[in-house]
Amino acid sequence: MKVTLLGTGTSGGVPSLGCSCNVCRSNDPRDRHMRSAALLETISTRVLIDCGPDIREQLMPFPFRPIDAVLLTHCHYDHVAGIDDLRPFCVFGAVNIYADNTTAGCVKRVMPYCFGNDLYPGVPLIKLNVIKPHDVFRIGDIDVFPVKVMHGKMPILGYRFGEFAYITDMKTIEDSELSKLYGVKKLVVNALRFTKEHHSHQLVDDAINFAHKIKAEEVYLTHVCHHIGLYSEASAKLPDGVHLAYDGMTINVSSF
């Protein structure tokens, strides 16, 4: 399975509007971070994780073929605002979206024109599937294991796929959930910046400590803001096996 990190930025993206810091003015493409999303692909299956406001641009370089599922982590704008942009994929049939009950309800409130008996012509065809933590389901040849993490006081979903896990917007995780992630070898996890505590997001040290707890071998830090610093400088601060993710980075997963 190939994982492409379509976006690795926090809610405002990088560069940040109105900012003239070194990161926001950088010409290194690894310093540009669109809103967080990922695409998982096997020979027969495509799964999108989150669908924020940059999704049209993020998917444009890829061959136009069906997306078998969209997995949502939670209902915040930077993770769901691009759902309407999936409209072209409806030529292949309804887009299957998987989300917990809270997020599914949010999608219905934000996009009421996509639900009901008398749909406006041309609206995206969406099939909402409500899922719960620990209830495994299968998309094509990919098994999906949702786990619960805490985004501040909000429970949201992370996802495990065999030896790979994708977790974003986490601040804390209950001890009972840690065991669900043992055996993960490659981990994508959020790390907003190095310093200055945030009420609902991990810092870099938090993410590294979490990765050590589950004994992940390779760690990719996502959902970063411009305060993370320049890619070249921030990467030099990270321990072996920990990588600052950037848009377009690919990860190969052998067991899923």
Side-chain angles (χ1 to χ4, degrees), residues 141-252:
D141 56 355
I142 300 176
D143 287 325
V144 183
F145 186 95
V147 296
K148 186 181 79 169
V149 301
M150 298 302 296
H151 182 22
K153 296 181 179 180
M154 175 193 296
I156 66 172
L157 294 179
Y159 293 99
R160 177 174 183 170
F161 313 88
E163 294 180 349
F164 172 72
Y166 183 95
I167 296 172
T168 186
D169 285 52
M170 179 172 74
K171 176 64 176 179
T172 58
I173 182 170
E174 297 173 1
D175 289 342
S176 60
E177 292 294 303
L178 285 175
S179 63
K180 310 297 189 300
L181 294 164
Y182 293 157
V184 163
K185 292 185 177 180
K186 296 186 178 183
L187 169 69
V188 175
V189 66
N190 63 296
L192 189 65
R193 54 199 178 213
F194 282 96
T195 60
K196 193 178 178 183
E197 192 73 11
H198 191 277
H199 70 280
S200 62
H201 289 276
Q202 293 185 130
L203 302 184
V204 171
D205 282 348
D206 299 323
I208 293 172
N209 290 336
F210 165 67
H212 286 164
K213 286 181 180 179
I214 65 171
K215 296 181 169 57
E217 297 174 4
E218 295 290 330
V219 184
Y220 305 86
L221 304 180
T222 192
H223 209 284
V224 302
C225 71
H226 57 159
H227 298 299
I228 198 81
L230 293 168
Y231 177 86
S232 56
E233 297 175 359
S235 294
K237 299 178 183 179
L238 300 175
D240 290 344
V242 180
H243 315 277
L244 180 58
Y246 54 84
D247 294 9
M249 176 182 274
T250 59
I251 304 166
N252 291 315

Side-chain angles (χ1 to χ4, degrees), residues 50 70-75 80 83 96-107 127-133 137 146 157 159:
D50 282 335
V70 180
L71 310 179
L72 299 180
T73 58
H74 62 297
C75 64
V80 302
I83 292 175
N96 274 281
I97 293 179
Y98 294 79
D100 64 19
N101 191 60
T102 298
T103 304
C106 173
V107 171
K127 182 179 179 183
L128 271 177
N129 303 272
V130 176
I131 58 175
K132 297 178 181 179
F137 57 98
L157 294 179
Y159 293 99

Side-chain angles (χ1 to χ4, degrees), residues 13-132:
V14 181
S16 179
L17 277 170
C19 182
S20 58
C21 74
N22 288 341
V23 176
C24 291
R25 291 187 291 108
S26 171
N27 292 321
D28 187 338
R30 296 171 299 181
D31 288 322
R32 301 182 70 87
H33 302 277
M34 289 188 281
R35 269 61 75 94
S36 293
L39 184 67
L40 283 57
E41 298 178 287
T42 68
I43 292 175
S44 60
T45 307
R46 290 174 112 192
V47 173
L48 179 64
I49 306 178
D50 282 335
C51 189
D54 299 317
I55 201 64
R56 178 182 176 277
E57 182 178 354
Q58 290 166 329
L59 291 176
M60 196 67 74
F62 291 84
F64 185 66
R65 59 187 183 89
I67 293 175
D68 298 287
V70 180
L71 310 179
L72 299 180
T73 58
H74 62 297
C75 64
H76 284 168
Y77 175 85
D78 54 317
H79 296 264
V80 302
I83 292 175
D84 193 278
D85 285 334
L86 299 180
R87 187 183 311 185
F89 292 94
C90 294
V91 298
F92 304 112
V95 175
N96 274 281
I97 293 179
Y98 294 79
D100 64 19
N101 191 60
T102 298
T103 304
C106 173
V107 171
K108 286 184 175 181
R109 290 192 301 274
V110 172
M111 305 178 67
Y113 56 92
C114 294
F115 303 95
N117 297 322
D118 187 18
L119 297 180
Y120 185 83
V123 301
L125 303 175
I126 294 174
K127 182 179 179 183
L128 271 177
N129 303 272
V130 176
I131 58 175
K132 297 178 181 179

